[in-house]
Amino acid sequence: MNAPTPLLEFFRRGEVARDVRLLAAQGAVAPRAHEQLSILILLLDDADPEIRAVANGTLDRIPREALVSFLARSEVPLDVREFFAGRGVFPGEIPSITDDTPLIDTEPDVAEDLPADEGDSPESVSQRIAKMSVSERLRAAMKGSREMRAILIRDASKVIALSVLSSPKITEREVETYARMATVSDDVLRVIGRSRVWTRNYAIVVGLTKNPKTPLTLSLKLMPRLNDRDLGLLSIDRNVPDPLRYAARRKVLAGTGR
């Protein structure tokens, strides 16, 4: 599964509020099948008995045909297969190759009840989002428009911002923009910088390195990948942390033999 899964990692770290965990237990949070299954399995060990019970009920309601087809995919982790084998569900002979939508969708698509045309003005989209509940903002982050994602990536709730990064609709061009934004949380920048998929894009690497909000350890790790021109600009950029600028300057001087 090569797609970044920041939402799943957030749940694994145990930093998700109860109301969001309950939504996830209902199958209403994860935008991809593998995230949905992994989060539901994770919530079976939740400290809250109601969340455990709801997650178990949601797993039981997943259509068996869809589940066995998904489990047949080669990239499904062994522990997930073993979990369902313990419940008497085994991989089928024909995998679902391209479809990674949730195996049980308890929420309507945003387009059905929260229309957001790509041509909407930022003001109108902002006003619409301001009126949304937490569950509606989660759905918008995962299923909404590009304009919605551009606003919700800066949401004060970490799980909503990270849901944007988990959206199947997100593009590398959008991630390039987020990498340059000093108004997103350092958690968002850290997730982008840890993704092998996204950091293959040189523009994303440059954006993260030059972003003063990027955690210093991540910036220093990415800096050696900059070309001579960008490294030179970084060495005189007073907007970035001093240790990063000094490290870039030392590398420039070493390259010139001075």
Side-chain angles (χ1 to χ4, degrees), residues 65-76 81 91-99:
E65 182 179 349
L67 184 56
V68 298
S69 179
F70 178 79
L71 292 175
R73 292 170 58 160
S74 61
E75 68 270 26
V76 173
R81 285 203 183 99
E93 296 182 0
I94 302 176
S96 58
I97 298 175
T98 58
D99 188 13

Side-chain angles (χ1 to χ4, degrees), residues 118-136:
E118 295 292 331
D120 280 356
S121 68
E123 291 78 12
S124 64
V125 177
S126 297
Q127 291 168 0
R128 186 180 293 114
I129 288 175
K131 298 176 183 178
M132 291 181 182
S133 65
V134 172
S135 62
E136 288 171 339

Side-chain angles (χ1 to χ4, degrees), residues 170-223:
I170 197 170
T171 65
E172 281 200 0
R173 183 62 62 86
E174 288 177 81
V175 178
E176 288 178 26
T177 300
Y178 303 156
R180 296 192 298 267
M181 292 170 60
T183 52
V184 299
S185 72
D186 54 0
D187 285 287
V188 167
L189 298 173
R190 189 177 289 110
V191 166
I192 294 173
R194 288 176 177 173
S195 168
R196 293 183 180 180
V197 175
W198 287 333
T199 53
R200 291 173 189 163
N201 183 319
Y202 181 73
I204 292 175
V205 172
V206 173
L208 288 171
T209 309
K210 294 184 176 182
N211 190 334
K213 192 75 173 285
T214 301
L216 181 59
T217 53
L218 179 57
S219 298
L220 289 170
K221 181 180 179 180
L222 294 173
M223 183 198 66

